[in-house]
Amino acid sequence: MASKLSINHEEIPVTALNCNFRKKLGLYLNPQNTVAADWRTVAEMMDYTYLEIKNFEKRDYPFEKVLTEWETRPDATVANLLSILEKAERKDVISDLKEIIDDDCRKYLERQLRKPVQVPVVDSCGPRTKEREGITLYDDPLGLTPETFDAFICYCQNDFQFVHEMIKQLEQTDYNLKLCVFDRDVLPGTCVWTIASELIEKRCKRMVVVISDDYLDSDACDFQTKFALSLCPGARSKRLIPVVYKTMKKPFPSILRFLTICDYTRPCTQVWFWTRLGKALSLP
């Protein structure tokens, strides 16, 4: 069946390309090359900045990291990746890996065809396992009426003072929003990763990401952000809202660059900050 499927690379996301392809593409592009374009040239054509590229240089297998972050963008299709490689004059790579690319694309299309057209009606907010019952302060202990929120707040401990201000401005005002703040709302004794994914996917309409230099060093924040992005590829549902509240020394995370930022660091727009954020979180 797979061989009969028509492949339109414009409609296939880069996430359809599997590990074997990524590894082989890295073998072509990771070594520094004075004759042909290497990963730095391709990263620049993917619209990464000089500072971001310098930061990738510190990583092992840098192009794999570049591709993993690029694939979260709305234009990250197989067609655009092939176009970038062609513009970088790496037709040799396209030619050598074409069979793998087409095979991965066919497998992706097969998986899409196997998805059920209709599924039984279920309560998507209900916990799926015992571990996910009674995880927040006001949950029904039996999991019958799970507590829900307007937004999950992704933050690191050093930014907690700003989270306090966010609570004051968004919960204790006319916005009357309900925020999910892990240290305040989640009961102890549960698996952090499992509960975070349950809250982000099932219990919260949106997620606010408090960006700072400390955020960039947090494994928990990295997981929460990438998990939220995976739920809304291309930011189609306005699910994730980045917030910057203080000046940063490190580069802004490239996986969030294509999203509109709520910036508290600019004095000229600071007066509108809470209004913009409150309105965004109040959307249905």
Side-chain angles (χ1 to χ4, degrees):
M1 179 178 67
S3 61
K4 297 180 181 179
L5 292 174
S6 176
I7 299 174
N8 182 355
H9 293 138
E10 288 282 357
E11 298 177 356
I12 300 178
V14 170
T15 50
L17 301 175
N18 292 321
C19 294
N20 185 35
F21 166 80
R22 293 163 186 265
K23 181 179 179 181
K24 290 188 176 181
L25 185 58
L27 290 175
Y28 280 99
L29 298 179
N30 280 328
Q32 191 167 357
N33 199 320
T34 57
V35 179
D38 59 23
W39 73 269
R40 296 169 182 81
T41 304
V42 175
E44 190 171 351
M45 297 178 74
M46 287 176 168
D47 201 30
Y48 286 100
T49 65
Y50 171 76
L51 287 177
E52 288 170 334
I53 293 172
K54 294 300 288 183
N55 192 50
F56 281 123
E57 284 181 347
K58 302 173 185 176
R59 311 279 193 92
D60 294 329
Y61 313 109
F63 185 71
E64 285 87 330
K65 304 295 183 184
V66 168
L67 189 61
T68 298
E69 294 200 4
W70 183 72
E71 68 188 13
T72 64
R73 301 183 188 179
D75 61 343
T77 63
V78 173
N80 281 341
L81 176 61
L82 294 175
S83 175
I84 288 170
L85 290 172
E86 188 169 350
K87 289 176 182 176
E89 299 183 355
R90 293 307 305 262
K91 293 182 180 180
D92 58 317
V93 177
I94 298 173
S95 177
D96 289 352
L97 299 184
K98 186 179 186 303
E99 187 175 337
I100 297 176
I101 293 170
D102 287 347
D103 188 47
D104 283 348
C105 289
R106 289 191 186 97
K107 288 177 181 177
Y108 170 82
L109 292 173
E110 273 195 302
R111 290 194 296 270
Q112 296 301 106
L113 289 175
R114 287 200 298 266
K115 285 185 177 180
V117 176
Q118 187 173 0
V119 296
V121 176
V122 295
D123 180 4
S124 62
C125 290
R128 295 188 293 271
T129 66
K130 289 290 183 182
E131 184 181 18
R132 300 185 182 193
E133 295 177 2
I135 61 175
T136 63
L137 280 175
Y138 299 105
D139 261 353
D140 183 331
L142 299 178
L144 299 177
T145 54
E147 187 177 13
T148 58
F149 303 85
D150 292 299
F152 182 92
I153 311 301
C154 172
Y155 64 94
C156 68
Q157 293 299 315
N158 289 345
D159 298 323
F160 199 59
Q161 185 175 351
F162 182 73
V163 175
H164 270 287
E165 182 65 19
M166 190 178 295
I167 292 170
K168 178 182 175 182
Q169 295 288 342
L170 299 179
E171 287 191 340
Q172 301 168 14
T173 60
D174 290 341
Y175 291 114
N176 196 30
L177 293 166
K178 188 174 182 182
L179 308 179
C180 181
V181 179
F182 211 93
D183 290 287
R184 180 191 67 176
D185 298 313
V186 177
L187 298 177
T190 51
C191 173
V192 172
W193 309 105
T194 303
I195 300 311
S197 60
E198 166 76 9
L199 290 167
I200 294 167
E201 181 179 9
K202 301 294 182 182
R203 309 284 198 92
C204 300
K205 289 195 298 181
R206 290 180 172 81
M207 185 168 98
V208 175
V209 186
V210 181
I211 309 294
S212 66
D213 289 333
D214 295 306
Y215 159 90
L216 296 173
D217 295 327
S218 169
D219 290 336
C221 290
D222 182 64
F223 166 78
Q224 292 166 11
T225 302
K226 289 178 179 175
F227 181 77
L229 282 171
S230 73
L231 299 175
C232 57
R236 287 189 291 269
S237 63
K238 300 180 182 176
R239 188 173 184 135
L240 196 149
I241 302 172
V243 166
V244 178
Y245 80 98
K246 62 182 179 181
T247 304
M248 296 176 60
K249 296 180 181 178
K250 299 178 182 178
F252 188 84
S254 57
I255 60 172
L256 299 177
R257 269 197 328 173
F258 63 89
L259 296 175
T260 306
I261 301 168
C262 218
D263 193 345
Y264 194 71
T265 65
R266 298 168 59 197
C268 59
T269 60
Q270 201 173 85
V271 66
W272 303 317
F273 177 87
W274 295 113
T275 302
R276 293 179 68 224
L277 184 57
K279 290 285 187 181
L281 296 180
S282 299
L283 292 172

